[in-house]
Amino acid sequence: MVQHSRCDSRGEAELVLQVVLGFCDMMGIVFLYQVRNTGSWKQIGLSISHVVIVHSITLALLCLYILASYLIPSARYKRNY
């Protein structure tokens, strides 16, 4: 009889989420410092849109993780092989 636990994989998923969110934060900081307030409107809009896209991706990843945590049960279960 083998017991499988979803708690171990959930901890790994949280670790991966934290790493990905860390990378998103680093990209957000890089793009934030590259925002321009001079130049053409196209350059200004492009630099601001980079920041907005990175923050939107971060928010979307966090929302998807919360949604998945509600949809996937985290209780331990046993499988008989």
Side-chain angles (χ1 to χ4, degrees):
M1 201 179 335
V2 177
Q3 294 180 357
H4 292 277
S5 172
R6 286 282 187 197
C7 294
D8 294 336
S9 63
R10 186 177 185 122
E12 292 172 3
E14 288 178 2
L15 179 64
V16 169
L17 177 70
Q18 290 175 358
V19 169
V20 169
L21 288 178
F23 281 125
C24 287
D25 287 341
M26 285 187 283
M27 285 191 319
I29 290 172
V30 168
F31 285 133
L32 185 64
Y33 282 112
Q34 292 179 353
V35 171
R36 301 173 171 229
N37 60 358
T38 59
S40 69
W41 284 103
K42 183 178 180 181
Q43 291 173 338
I44 294 170
L46 187 64
S47 65
I48 292 173
S49 67
H50 283 147
V51 173
V52 171
I53 289 170
V54 168
H55 288 299
S56 299
I57 290 171
T58 305
L59 185 63
L61 285 173
L62 191 58
C63 291
L64 285 174
Y65 179 76
I66 292 170
L67 179 66
S69 68
Y70 283 120
L71 295 177
I72 300 172
S74 63
R76 292 184 177 198
Y77 62 92
K78 297 178 181 178
R79 286 189 182 175
N80 296 325
Y81 289 102

